[in-house]
Amino acid sequence: MLKISSLIMTISVLSFSAIANPESQKYLGFNYPHKAQNAVSITFDDARHSQVDVGTAILNRHQVKATFYVSPFNVKQRLTQWQDAVKSGHEIANHTSSHVCTGNFEWLRAQDLSLEHTTLKWLENDILSAQQYLKDHLGVTPRAFAYPCGNTFVGRGIDTKSYVPLIAKHFDSGRTWLDESANNPNFTDFAQLTGLRIDGMSFDEIITMLDQLRENNAWLILAGHEVGNGDQYTTDAKVLEQLLVYLKDPANGYWLDTVSNVSDYVRQQRKPLN
Ligand SMILES: [Zn+2]
C-alpha cells in the first residue's frame, strides 16, 4: 500500500515538473565584468529631498553611480541639486508625474488618483509628461522606469489591464518593488526587474539578504527612499556608506553599476533561457 502511494506521488511530481517547464534548461552561468559573480545596482525612488541633501554626497565620495527614479514634483524643489546629480554621472529614471498607485492609499484617493480608476492612455500621458520635464530641466531622456508602489496594473477585477507593455514600449527597463527574488541574468524580463528593499535595514540584515539571493550570478537591484536616519522608508546613511565599501571591495565579487549600464550589458551577454 505504502509502495503504491509513493509511486503515485513520484508520477504526479514528475508529470507536474514536465508540464510546468516542458523545455527546462540547466543553469548556463553568466560572466560579469572584472570577474564579478554578481551585479548590483543601487536605486532610490521618488526624488525624496534627502537623496540629494544627504545621499549623493555619500555616493560621490565613494565614486558610486546610482539610479534615481524621480517624479518631477519633488525634483522641482531641489532642481539645482538634481542637475548636479546628473553632472556627477548618476542615472535619472522615470517614476511618473503623479506617482499614481493603488487607491488603497488614502493620500492618493484624496487627490482623486488611483490605478483602479485610471486608463492606460491617461497613465501614458502622465509618464510621458515626466519624461518631457526631465528632458527640459535635467537634459536627460530616461531609459529606465520604476512602477510607483510596485503596482503594474490599471482598472479592477475583470477589466484589469497590465501596464507592463506600456513600459516595455517606452523604456529599456521597468523595476518593481518589495520582491522576494533577484534577477536571473539569463531569464529576467527587463520590463519587470525585481527590486529589493534596503530601507530600515541594518548592514548585517542587508548582507544576509544579498548572501541568500546571490546564487546563480543574480543581478540584485536594491531600492531605497529617504537617506539619513529615520523610519522604515529611510536607508540609514551609515549603513549606505558601509554597504558601498563592502560592494566595491573586489574580494566580495560584486560589479556595481547603474540599472541601465547593467541592463545593457546583460542584454548583450545573456544566453536566454526558456
Ligand atoms: Zn515611489
Side-chain angles (χ1 to χ4, degrees):
M1 197 60 191
L2 244 176
K3 272 185 184 166
I4 291 168
S5 66
S6 69
L7 181 68
I8 290 167
M9 264 188 71
T10 310
I11 290 167
S12 65
V13 167
L14 279 175
S15 61
F16 174 76
S17 58
I19 292 164
N21 200 353
E23 294 170 52
S24 60
Q25 290 169 247
K26 72 177 177 55
Y27 177 66
L28 297 174
F30 193 85
N31 298 318
Y32 290 109
H34 318 301
K35 297 194 172 137
Q37 295 158 260
N38 298 84
V40 61
S41 301
I42 295 183
T43 73
F44 293 96
D45 290 6
D46 304 345
R48 307 274 182 114
H49 301 334
S50 61
Q51 293 171 14
V52 283
D53 291 349
V54 181
T56 45
I58 299 171
L59 292 160
N60 293 346
R61 198 158 56 240
H62 292 275
Q63 296 172 309
V64 170
K65 313 277 184 260
T67 297
F68 292 91
Y69 296 98
V70 304
S71 289
F73 61 86
N74 273 338
V75 172
K76 279 176 193 165
Q77 295 177 45
R78 292 286 192 283
L79 188 57
T80 315
Q81 291 94 320
W82 282 108
Q83 288 164 340
D84 289 343
V86 173
K87 282 184 207 141
S88 303
H90 298 293
E91 177 177 23
I92 303 296
N94 192 314
H95 198 47
T96 75
S97 291
S98 62
H99 201 281
V100 61
C101 46
T102 172
N104 285 311
F105 288 110
E106 198 60 34
W107 58 272
L108 278 169
R109 287 205 314 109
Q111 302 171 60
D112 209 16
L113 284 170
S114 74
L115 284 173
E116 287 83 349
H117 291 154
T118 295
T119 63
L120 287 173
K121 191 69 217 157
W122 186 94
L123 189 57
E124 185 171 33
N125 287 336
D126 187 65
I127 291 164
L128 294 181
S129 77
Q131 199 76 344
Q132 192 61 49
Y133 177 89
L134 298 170
K135 202 172 170 185
D136 293 345
H137 295 86
L138 298 183
V140 296
T141 302
R143 297 168 54 210
F145 177 87
Y147 299 88
C149 312
N151 299 143
T152 59
F153 67 92
V154 297
R156 56 163 74 221
I158 201 166
D159 297 319
T160 306
K161 292 188 179 78
S162 169
Y163 81 89
V164 173
L166 184 65
I167 298 312
K169 178 178 149 196
H170 292 292
F171 297 93
D172 292 338
S173 69
R175 198 218 70 213
T176 54
W177 161 240
L178 287 181
D179 292 292
E180 292 182 34
S181 67
N183 298 285
N184 178 332
N186 290 318
F187 183 81
T188 198
D189 178 3
F190 293 97
Q192 292 195 77
L193 296 172
T194 66
L196 305 165
R197 178 188 199 132
I198 51 169
D199 286 336
M201 289 171 73
S202 69
F203 176 70
D204 289 344
E205 285 168 340
I206 295 174
I207 299 303
T208 303
M209 174 179 76
L210 297 181
D211 286 345
Q212 278 168 359
L213 297 177
R214 73 180 298 183
E215 65 177 339
N216 297 339
N217 307 111
W219 170 22
L220 303 113
I221 303 179
L222 311 181
H225 289 80
E226 304 282 357
V227 185
N229 55 58
D231 59 7
Q232 85 258 35
Y233 283 102
T234 304
T235 295
D236 187 273
K238 287 199 188 90
V239 170
L240 177 63
E241 193 124 33
Q242 274 180 291
L243 186 61
L244 298 180
V245 171
Y246 173 86
L247 293 173
K248 280 189 71 186
D249 182 347
N252 294 316
Y254 286 99
W255 171 45
L256 184 52
D257 213 328
T258 61
V259 168
S260 288
N261 284 347
V262 176
S263 118
D264 285 346
Y265 181 86
V266 169
R267 211 182 281 272
Q268 254 180 14
Q269 302 290 327
R270 76 193 325 203
K271 301 156 212 142
L273 292 169
N274 293 314

